[in-house]
Amino acid sequence: MRIKPIGDRILIKYKEREEVTKSGIVLPDTVKEKPQIAEVIEVGPGGIVDGEKVEMVVKKGDKIIVSKYAGTEIKIDGEEYTIIRQDDVLAIIED
């Protein structure tokens, strides 16, 4: 199944990281903080938001830093994704 966001929305997948304490204890998912680094899976076309034209700055495949509690979480075919607005993107990570 393919999802195409509309307007200034972006489909992302958070980068999961296994957290281990200095003493070697692996922290379960219930204790971990939500990651803020994600990969852009799909990008909407942009458009007009609040009467102003919005051009999309991010593109498919970009790694981004996202606001901590941004977006709507969805689950498709067993995979977890989040749909956010472009305003929720804090930065693009360049390699």
Side-chain angles (χ1 to χ4, degrees):
M1 180 184 307
R2 183 171 177 207
I3 298 173
K4 183 70 177 169
I6 59 172
D8 71 331
R9 290 177 176 82
I10 303 165
L11 180 69
I12 62 170
K13 184 171 177 76
Y14 282 105
K15 295 286 187 182
E16 292 298 324
R17 56 186 170 161
E18 186 175 277
E19 291 191 28
V20 180
T21 64
K22 289 181 182 180
S23 59
I25 299 171
V26 177
L27 298 175
D29 288 339
T30 55
V31 180
K32 292 183 196 175
E33 276 191 24
K34 184 176 176 182
Q36 286 183 267
I37 296 177
E39 180 180 353
V40 176
I41 305 299
E42 283 290 339
V43 178
I48 298 181
V49 177
D50 296 329
E52 294 185 27
K53 184 170 172 51
V54 175
E55 291 189 30
M56 300 306 282
V57 177
V58 298
K59 61 186 182 303
K60 187 176 179 176
D62 281 350
K63 290 181 186 170
I64 58 174
I65 299 174
V66 181
S67 296
K68 201 168 220 167
Y69 300 106
T72 301
E73 296 175 355
I74 58 173
K75 195 170 196 175
I76 299 167
D77 298 332
E79 295 284 330
E80 292 185 14
Y81 299 96
T82 303
I83 296 177
I84 62 170
R85 296 189 86 104
Q86 183 166 254
D87 287 348
D88 295 324
V89 177
L90 302 176
I92 298 173
I93 300 171
E94 296 179 346
D95 292 329

